[in-house]
Structure formats: structure tokens, C-alpha cells
């Protein structure tokens, strides 16, 4: 049947002539059962955005973006112009190049993880309507018009983007700046009915979140967030307090002391009344909605931390989008490995350009040497695990994500200890858990021409 947005079927009208909107195909308008199931199933910690890409005929970001924003009641709360919102989403989606990793499907994956972190872990104490909207739009645009290379490459080659932003987070500055320029177009200005103060808050939060995805700011943000965790220690149960202190002493202090020795590349890796959103953990360890009257988080009996401090909320959102940007680390192992393939190929393509223009190739980017698939344990131990553990120590609703991360981390430990190839890892995963994605279904991105 027709694909309905809100109370009226979506029809592009004259505005459909714009570049992004012109790509909305009949396959998307006539939504399939598979697409409906994937959209309706976005409340799962382990989500496969590749399936959504296929089911949506190449429109995973616009479909999921509209679905979630509408589902949370944000269109009604802020009188968002639905047609302009859809135009914005389609044009942002069209602005994602066909990179092996930093593409529209990655953005959809980040969006879904950000949605989970905000609604299942952070709400209502740290997230109200304006934070929800800002977090979702930030995830949608966080890699808009990504060049497929990192900031260091742009700076070293004197790229126009690096010159424009004085070598300071050129990619991230461009992502958010270009998104705001798009939002000023008449057919994409979906916020025009919002109160002026809400528009200002939306902009401020988006800038903080998108700029925070620059890896160079990683340890600074984590250090600041640790002080927020300490501030709320009085609200934590004794068992959670010991976990916070353990995470601090075992991970963050060591990481911060060794920040200068780390070289991991650029992995991007008056507000409305807060909506009370909470969750419980089902028998599979995945979260599902529970009644809005519940005052607990994650079904674990601990009250959700509460903060009216805007700085606390900004920091929590910055940490959340950093986690979402690395969201594939909590995917099913076979899906996670597919994302690693994509990022490795994108790095190799940058290495090819470095050899051509700079005469030397950065670590992990040389096709003739070991790529990032050979360094995952170190990355998990130094960056990923401390990030997720720090967040989960305060927001216990994210505990299922931490368990999924640990499963993938164990896979890479086995790779290093047993010197296995990635295909061998997938065979082990399939044999152990009987996943529905066989090794032959996990494809490497095509090599650069």
C-alpha cells in the first residue's frame, strides 16, 4: 500500500524536482513488508542497516530518519513541516557520497544507535524533546558530504576545506555547516514553525555533537564526561558506584595519561517538556518500550540520573554520538565485520592517494601491509571499551550495548591469538551461533578503480 507519513500519504509534488527528492522511487513509496518490519524493529540494540539499505531501495537514511522523528512525536511537538522535513532528509541522503564506509547506510546505522542510546538509556533525566530532535538530526548529518579521507589528509594536501576551516576539524565543520545551509533553503526549512529559542538550542546542540565526532577531541570529551559521572555518584546504587570507580581507575586515567602516544587516525568515528521514555530488557538482552509511567531505567531497578544542567546534557549527548558513530561495534559479529571491511577499504583508498600525492602512506592504509583488521584489539581496548564503559556506568540502560561490544571484542582477541583470517572468524561465528548471514554473504567493498 501507499507509504504514509503522519495522517497523509507522502506525495512529492513540485518540490520532488529537487535533486534528492527526485530519487524517491516507487519501490520506497510502495513500502514492502520487509521495510516495514525493519523500520518497526528499530528498537533493537543490534541492527543491520545493510538490510534496511536493500529494503528501502537505497534510501535507508531518509526512511529511518522520518520514521523515528515521527514515531517520537517530534513532528507534532514542534509543528515540523513534514514535506520540508522529507525534502531535507532526501537531500542530505543524496549528499552522502558512495564511500565504502562513510556513506548513507553508515549514517542510518549511527542514527539508529543514537536513537537507542537516547531513548533507552538517557531519557528522561538527560534527554527531553529538544535533545531528542538535536541528537537525531546530528546523527543524520554527521558525515554529510564526507570526502572519504580523514582530516589529516585534507590538511597535508592543502585541501580547500582545510583552508576554509584553518585546519581545525575541517570535515566536521563542513558536515554541520553544510547541513545548516541546506536547512535555510525554502524547501528544506522544516524548523520554521519552531520557537526561536528552540531553533537556537537545536543549532547549539547540533554544533557541539557533530564537532565532537572529531577523534582529536575524544579524550578531552571523555575526561569532561568522567567529571559528570563523579557528580552523579550520589545518585548511584553502591554496586553501580563501584563500577564507575573501577572504570575510572582501570581505563580512563591510563588512557588520558597516554593520550599523546595514541595514533588511531580520524575515525569519526526554553526547551520543551521532556518526554518520559524508558525501557526494559527482554529475554534476549535487547530493549523494548515500557509504559511511560515507569521511573526506572533498563529494568534494573536504578533510577535514571536527572540533570537540568545544560553542560551536563551537552556532554552526555557528545559521548552518545561518539558511541553511535562507532555503533557497528555492537552489531552482530558478521555485520560488524562487514563494516570493518568497508572502513579498511576506505583507508586503503586514502593510502593510494597518499602514495600518489604525498609519496608516503600512513599506518594502516597501505594495501601491501596490514590494515585496520589487524589492529582491532588495540582500538577496542584503548578507545571503544573505555568509552562504552564510562557511559554505561552512568546510564545503565545501555548495558546490552556493552555486552554486544564485548562479544565482538572477544572475536578480535581470537583473531590475534590464533592468527585467523576474517573469513575464518565468520565461519566460527556461524558455527557457534547459527547466524542468518553466512560468510559468503559478507562482501568486501569493490577495490578502487
Amino acid at each position: 500500500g501507499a507509504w504514509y507519513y503522519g495522517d497523509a500519504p507522502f506525495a512529492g509534488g513540485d518540490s520532488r524536482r529537487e535533486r534528492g527528492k527526485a530519487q524517491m522511487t516507487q519501490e520506497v513509496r510502495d513500502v514492502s513488508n520487509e521495510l516495514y518490519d525493519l523500520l518497526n524493529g528499530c528498537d533493537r540494540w543490534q541492527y543491520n542497516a545493510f538490510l534496511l539499505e536493500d529494503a528501502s531501495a537505497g534510501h535507508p537514511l531518509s526512511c529511518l530518519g522520518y520514521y523515528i522523528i515521527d514515531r517520537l512525536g517530534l513532528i507534532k511537538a514542534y509543528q515540523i513541516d513534514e514535506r520540508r522535513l522529507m525534502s531535507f532528509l532526501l537531500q542530505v541522503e543524496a549528499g552522502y557520497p558512495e564511500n565504502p564506509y562513510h556513506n548513507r547506510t553508515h549514517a542510518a546505522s549511527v542514527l539508529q544507535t543514537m536513537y537507542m542510546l537516547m531513548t533507552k538509556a538517557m531519557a528522561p533525566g538527560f534527554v527531553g524533546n529538544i535533545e531528542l530532535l538535536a541528537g537525531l538530526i546530528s546523527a543524520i548529518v554527521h558525515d554529510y558530504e564526507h570526502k572519504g579521507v580523514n582530516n589529516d589528509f585534507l590538511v597535508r594536501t592543502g585541501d580547500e576545506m582545510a583552508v576554509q576551516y584553518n585546519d581545525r576539524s575541517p570535515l566536521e565543520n563542513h558536515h554541520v555547516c553544510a547541513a545548516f545551509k541546506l536547512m535555510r533553503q525554502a524547501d528544506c526549512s522544516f524548523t520554521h514553525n519552531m520557537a526561536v529559542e528552540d531553533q537556537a538550542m537545536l543549532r547549539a546542540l547540533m554544533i557541539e555533537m557533530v564537532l565532537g565526532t572529531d577523534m582529536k577531541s575524544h579524550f578531552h570529551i571523555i575526561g569532561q564526561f568522567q567529571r559528570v559521572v563523579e557528580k552523579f555518584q550520589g545518585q548511584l546504587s553502591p554496586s553501580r558506584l563501584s563500577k564507575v570507580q573501577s572504570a575510572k581507575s582501570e581505563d580512563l586515567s591510563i588512557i588520558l595519561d597516554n593520550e599523546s602516544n595514541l595514533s588511531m587516525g580520524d575515525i569519526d568515528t526554553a526547551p520543551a517538556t521532556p518526554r518520559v521514555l524508558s525501557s526494559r530488557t527482554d529475554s534476549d538482552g535487547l530493549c523494548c518500550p515500557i509504559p511511560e509511567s515507569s521511573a526506572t531505567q533498563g529494568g534494573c531497578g536504578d533510577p535514571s540520573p536527572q540533570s537540568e544542567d545544560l553542560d551536563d546534557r551537552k556532554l552526555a549527548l557528545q559521548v552518545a554520538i561518539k558511541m553511535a558513530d562507532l555503533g557497528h561495534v555492537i552489531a552482530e559479529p558478521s555485520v560488524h565485520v562487514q563494516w570493518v571491511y568497508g572502513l579498511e577499504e576506505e583507508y586503503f583508498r586514502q593510502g593510494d592517494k597518499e602514495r600518489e600525492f604525498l609519496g608516503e602512506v600512513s599506518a594502516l592504509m597501505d594495501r601491501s601491509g596490514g590494515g585496520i583488521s589487524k589492529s582491532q584489539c588495540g582500538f577496542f581496548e584503548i578507545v571503544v571499551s573505555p568509552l562504552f564503559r564510562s557511559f554505561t556506568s552512568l546510564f545503565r540502560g545501555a548495558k546490552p550495548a556493552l555486552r554486544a561490544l564485548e562479544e565482538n571484542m572477544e572475536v578480535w582477541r581470537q583473531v590475534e591469538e590464533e592468527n585467523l583470517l576474517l573469513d575464518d572468524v565468520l565461519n566460527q561465528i556461524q558455527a557457534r551461533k547459527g547466524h542468518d548471514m553466512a560468510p559468503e554473504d559478507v562482501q568486501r567493498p569493490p577495490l578502487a578503480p
Side-chain angles (χ1 to χ4, degrees):
W3 176 235
Y4 281 79
Y5 293 119
D7 297 326
F10 173 73
D14 293 339
S15 62
R16 190 181 282 268
R17 288 194 294 266
E18 298 295 332
R19 181 164 70 101
K21 292 167 291 181
Q23 298 181 16
M24 182 58 97
T25 63
Q26 183 67 35
E27 289 86 347
V28 177
R29 294 199 306 273
D30 296 333
V31 62
S32 66
N33 289 334
E34 181 183 9
L35 177 55
Y36 176 82
D37 290 342
L38 286 166
L39 292 173
N40 201 42
C42 67
D43 279 304
R44 301 182 63 85
W45 284 104
Q46 294 184 308
Y47 193 77
N48 189 342
F50 295 116
L51 297 180
L52 181 62
E53 177 186 18
D54 292 340
S56 64
H59 292 276
L61 184 57
S62 57
C63 286
L64 185 62
Y66 192 101
Y67 179 84
I68 290 177
I69 292 171
D70 184 42
R71 181 180 191 176
L72 292 176
L74 297 174
I75 290 176
K76 181 178 180 180
Y78 290 111
Q79 300 180 46
I80 289 174
D81 188 301
E82 296 177 77
R83 190 171 300 235
R84 295 183 188 186
L85 173 62
M86 197 64 208
S87 174
F88 171 77
L89 293 174
L90 286 164
Q91 292 196 51
V92 168
E93 187 169 55
Y96 273 86
E98 295 297 322
N99 298 316
Y101 182 83
H102 291 103
N103 52 47
R104 62 181 63 181
T105 307
H106 163 69
S109 176
V110 174
L111 168 64
Q112 190 273 338
T113 306
M114 189 66 176
Y115 162 74
M116 291 295 293
L117 291 170
M118 290 192 297
T119 61
K120 306 302 183 185
M122 299 172 68
F126 271 69
V127 169
N129 277 346
I130 196 65
E131 289 87 359
L132 281 172
L133 183 61
L136 296 174
I137 301 298
S138 296
I140 288 167
V141 307
H142 83 283
D143 278 329
Y144 178 49
E145 296 184 341
H146 197 287
K147 285 178 172 280
V149 294
N150 63 19
N151 283 329
D152 181 64
F153 180 85
L154 297 178
V155 171
R156 292 171 67 195
T157 58
D159 187 89
E160 182 63 29
M161 191 179 291
V163 174
Q164 180 177 358
Y165 296 109
N166 299 310
D167 297 346
R168 296 178 180 176
S169 305
L171 282 169
E172 291 76 20
N173 270 296
H174 176 77
H175 301 324
V176 69
C177 177
F180 281 122
K181 287 182 178 179
L182 188 61
M183 289 169 66
R184 295 178 69 177
Q185 292 181 191
D187 63 328
C188 295
S189 58
F190 65 89
T191 63
H192 72 288
N193 289 327
M194 291 175 63
V196 173
E197 59 269 26
D198 287 331
Q199 292 188 48
M201 181 63 69
L202 177 69
R203 175 175 169 80
L205 291 173
M206 285 179 60
I207 291 172
E208 292 292 330
M209 278 185 273
V210 177
L211 293 185
T213 61
D214 185 352
M215 196 62 193
K216 290 188 182 299
S217 66
H218 178 83
F219 293 104
H220 174 69
I221 292 173
I222 296 303
Q224 288 186 312
F225 181 70
Q226 188 60 28
R227 288 192 283 273
V228 176
V229 173
E230 293 169 352
K231 176 179 174 180
F232 284 89
Q233 285 181 352
Q235 297 187 23
L236 305 180
S237 65
S239 62
R240 290 182 68 191
L241 179 56
S242 66
K243 293 177 181 179
V244 171
Q245 294 169 335
S246 174
K248 176 186 176 184
S249 61
E250 294 178 8
D251 293 315
L252 295 174
S253 62
I254 296 174
I255 299 304
L256 290 169
D257 288 342
N258 290 282
E259 176 181 352
S260 60
N261 297 324
L262 179 66
S263 177
M264 302 303 293
D266 282 308
I267 301 180
D268 303 308
T269 0
T273 304
R275 290 166 57 82
V276 181
L277 300 170
S278 188
S279 61
R280 68 169 181 267
T281 303
D282 63 18
S283 59
D284 294 324
L286 305 174
C287 283
C288 52
I290 65 174
E292 293 188 346
S293 59
S294 173
T296 61
Q297 190 178 42
C300 302
D302 288 316
S304 169
Q306 305 285 324
S307 178
E308 297 299 325
D309 189 312
L310 180 59
D311 290 336
D312 291 348
R313 291 184 173 222
K314 283 183 178 179
L315 270 172
L317 287 167
Q318 282 183 307
V319 172
I321 199 169
K322 291 176 71 63
M323 294 169 65
D325 205 9
L326 300 171
H328 65 84
V329 301
I330 68 172
E332 290 283 349
S334 56
V335 177
H336 163 60
V337 168
Q338 189 167 354
W339 282 116
V340 173
Y341 276 146
L343 183 57
E344 186 169 58
E345 172 58 26
E346 189 164 306
Y347 273 17
F348 285 157
R349 293 185 185 187
Q350 176 173 325
D352 296 340
K353 295 177 181 177
E354 289 183 349
R355 181 176 287 107
E356 178 181 359
F357 296 111
L358 301 172
E360 58 182 1
V361 181
S362 300
L364 307 179
M365 298 187 182
D366 192 342
R367 291 185 186 276
S368 62
I372 62 167
S373 59
K374 305 298 183 184
S375 64
Q376 288 297 293
C377 279
F379 182 62
F380 269 77
E381 292 169 359
I382 295 172
V383 175
V384 180
S385 183
L387 173 64
F388 277 71
R389 289 180 62 185
S390 179
F391 184 88
T392 305
S393 68
L394 183 60
F395 300 111
R396 197 175 179 185
K399 198 171 182 179
L402 185 59
R403 288 197 294 267
L405 177 155
E406 290 169 347
E407 180 183 27
N408 284 320
M409 190 172 179
E410 179 59 27
V411 168
W412 293 110
R413 285 199 188 103
Q414 293 178 17
V415 169
E416 291 197 3
E417 291 173 2
E418 302 177 24
N419 198 28
L420 297 177
L421 299 174
L422 282 177
D423 288 344
D424 297 329
V425 176
L426 294 180
N427 284 325
Q428 286 187 354
I429 295 168
Q430 186 182 26
R432 184 175 72 249
K433 299 184 70 173
H435 289 172
D436 57 1
M437 180 178 286
E440 57 270 18
D441 295 326
V442 180
Q443 301 295 325
R444 288 184 180 272
L447 297 178

